[in-house]
Amino acid sequence: MPNRRQATVMFTDVVGFTLIMERSETEAMRIYSRNMEIVRKLVSSSGGSLVKEMGDGTLSVFTSSPAAVTSAVKIQKQLENENFRIRIGIHSGSVLFEGNDIFGDTVNVASRLEKKSPAGGILISREVLSHYGEKKQPDTINLGLTRLKGLGRL
């Protein structure tokens, strides 16, 4: 039986990885290894748990939104001098925990946010931002309401 609890979910994905693989499998595997090394280390050091790797992407879960955002910022900062970029999407809400995996609407929204994030960017939901006090919010740009693929709401 799944266990439901509040959590913050983060997806990452290497931008253009399929094209990189097409051009040079050796370079793609170097990028894959470097990306996973950084993501694993910084998710863990920020108090998160890597749920799974999905090709060149990852799914992680955190007990707090600020921890997830901190992890994402550290990851992007660490990648600034690399020759590849990743996208990150973060959403917070009710998550179903089943064995070593997670499911639910919160996971789906985080995945859609990652896909809309710009290369080298972090796209967070209003729910993630709401977990900060007024004076402690990270610097953000409000993109307003947007439609997320496959979801029936803005």
Side-chain angles (χ1 to χ4, degrees), residues 15-139:
V15 176
F17 190 76
T18 301
L19 183 58
I20 296 167
M21 181 66 82
E22 183 180 299
R23 290 183 184 158
S24 170
E25 291 176 348
T26 302
E27 177 63 5
M29 294 312 296
R30 186 199 66 74
I31 288 170
Y32 168 82
S33 295
R34 180 70 176 138
N35 178 56
M36 291 304 171
E37 170 192 349
I38 291 168
V39 170
R40 282 186 203 113
K41 178 180 80 176
L42 294 175
V43 164
S44 177
S45 72
S46 297
S49 298
L50 182 66
V51 174
K52 61 184 167 183
E53 297 174 12
M54 302 160 303
D56 58 296
T58 65
L59 168 59
S60 301
V61 66
F62 296 80
T63 57
S64 83
S65 292
V69 172
T70 296
S71 177
V73 169
K74 286 180 180 178
I75 289 167
Q76 294 294 30
K77 189 165 269 323
Q78 186 83 36
L79 291 173
E80 283 178 347
N81 295 320
E82 298 291 336
N83 67 338
F84 66 95
R85 295 290 167 257
I86 69 170
R87 293 182 175 92
I88 299 177
I90 305 173
H91 184 55
S92 183
S94 179
V95 176
L96 292 170
F97 289 78
E98 175 75 36
N100 294 327
D101 211 346
I102 59 175
F103 302 91
D105 185 62
T106 299
V107 176
N108 294 335
V109 171
S111 172
R112 297 321 188 277
L113 290 173
E114 174 267 306
K115 287 170 181 28
K116 281 193 163 253
S117 178
I122 304 164
L123 194 55
I124 64 173
S125 67
R126 175 184 57 222
E127 288 79 3
V128 169
L129 202 55
S130 74
H131 291 125
Y132 286 88
E134 282 295 316
K135 295 180 182 178
K136 296 181 181 181
Q137 288 187 354
D139 290 335

